Amino acid sequence: MKQIIALGGGGFSMEPENPLLDLYILKQSLKELPKICFIPTASGDSQSYTEQFYEFFNQQNCEPTHLSLFKPPVKDLERFVLEQDILYVGGGNTKNLLALWREWGLDGIIRKAWEQGVVLAGISAGSICWFEEGVTDSFSEDLEPIKALGFLAGSNCPHYDGEENRRPTYRRLVEEQKLQAGIAADDGVALHYVDQELTEIVSSRSNAKAYRVSFDGEIKEAELPTKFLGIVENF
């Protein structure tokens, strides 16, 4: 079974007091003590980001580690990656992530891991990278299209409600056919793909949603069923 969990936002770095999405990711490995590896390439292997990862996951039932391409933990990256149960890709610059992964051959190693059942997860740049295309601010302050790994079909837009320019820009790029149709996710939303099919959408916030955005003579945006992982309080 091949799994990818793509976060529009949230998780330990954005919602440190709200563990719902990260706990959901851990459960998908079906291991009692999953080995979870953080890959912070997109942030330039930010030390503070990596420390945030350990601060959260050291408190969970798992074995956390990380993979730096600036200070590789081992020479045999393939063996190291294939020993993991979950790969969790951090946010940052999508273009730099893709360039460095390709230079090191990590893109191919991660594809092999995915095909062997290692759960792939990630936020923002770590969400966009799995799709054929996405919308990114990697090139400048402006949002632009980017070609990604293509593990999943179509395009992706994270932070759909978290950054004011994301929604109008993504809609415009799809309408102008500069991006394929795809899935947009609010902050706090995770898109769970099994064998390249979107099987479940979950959220850490009761009002956070995902949307299918397409163009068929006119731009269309369809809200998708989203399962809130917390408890809805009625007053």
Side-chain angles (χ1 to χ4, degrees):
M1 181 170 65
K2 298 183 296 184
Q3 297 188 77
I4 294 178
I5 304 169
L7 279 64
F12 68 89
S13 60
M14 292 184 65
E15 297 179 339
E17 304 303 319
N18 187 345
L20 294 174
L21 293 183
D22 291 331
L23 294 178
Y24 178 85
I25 290 169
L26 286 175
K27 289 179 182 177
Q28 307 316 309
S29 75
L30 304 180
K31 299 286 184 67
E32 288 188 13
L33 199 68
K35 296 178 180 179
I36 181 167
C37 178
F38 183 50
I39 306 180
T41 314
S43 66
D45 283 356
S46 165
Q47 182 175 343
S48 62
Y49 198 5
T50 303
E51 288 172 353
Q52 283 182 290
F53 167 78
Y54 281 110
E55 185 176 345
F56 176 79
F57 284 99
N58 275 334
Q59 300 178 55
Q60 312 308 320
N61 291 322
C62 63
E63 295 182 14
T65 187
H66 75 283
L67 172 58
S68 168
L69 292 182
F70 293 88
K71 294 182 179 179
V74 294
K75 186 174 182 179
D76 189 346
L77 292 183
E78 180 169 326
R79 180 177 177 181
F80 178 82
V81 168
L82 294 179
E83 288 175 344
Q84 308 303 318
D85 299 306
I86 303 169
L87 302 178
Y88 194 134
V89 181
N93 189 301
T94 311
K95 180 177 175 62
N96 287 345
L97 175 153
L98 293 168
L100 282 167
W101 282 11
R102 286 165 177 154
E103 178 65 26
W104 282 80
L106 189 58
D107 54 338
I109 293 172
I110 290 176
R111 177 180 281 275
K112 185 174 182 180
W114 173 55
E115 291 172 344
Q116 291 186 11
V118 176
V119 177
L120 306 185
I123 179 173
S124 193
S127 172
I128 295 168
C129 66
W130 311 124
F131 293 81
E132 290 180 294
E133 301 173 336
V135 57
T136 181
D137 56 5
S138 295
F139 301 96
S140 68
E141 292 182 356
D142 297 327
L143 292 167
E144 301 177 51
I146 190 168
K147 300 287 186 184
L149 296 174
F151 292 11
L152 300 174
S155 65
N156 176 239
C157 178
H159 307 303
Y160 205 51
D161 69 338
E163 298 175 7
E164 63 178 358
N165 291 330
R166 287 277 175 174
R167 192 178 213 133
T169 301
Y170 186 55
R171 287 169 58 97
R172 175 178 59 79
L173 291 171
V174 172
E175 184 175 17
E176 294 173 353
Q177 300 182 59
K178 293 179 180 177
L179 279 176
Q180 299 178 58
I183 306 294
D186 288 344
D187 286 343
V189 168
L191 311 170
H192 189 175
Y193 288 80
V194 177
D195 295 331
Q196 299 172 293
E197 296 293 330
L198 182 57
T199 59
E200 187 171 41
I201 303 170
V202 298
S203 74
S204 60
R205 295 187 291 118
S206 60
N207 61 339
K209 303 293 181 183
Y211 306 85
R212 188 177 302 279
V213 180
S214 60
F215 179 74
D216 183 14
E218 61 179 351
I219 192 70
K220 296 181 179 180
E221 181 181 292
E223 182 179 311
L224 299 173
T226 304
K227 176 185 175 183
F228 175 49
L229 294 171
I231 299 172
V232 179
E233 297 182 353
N234 296 314
F235 296 97

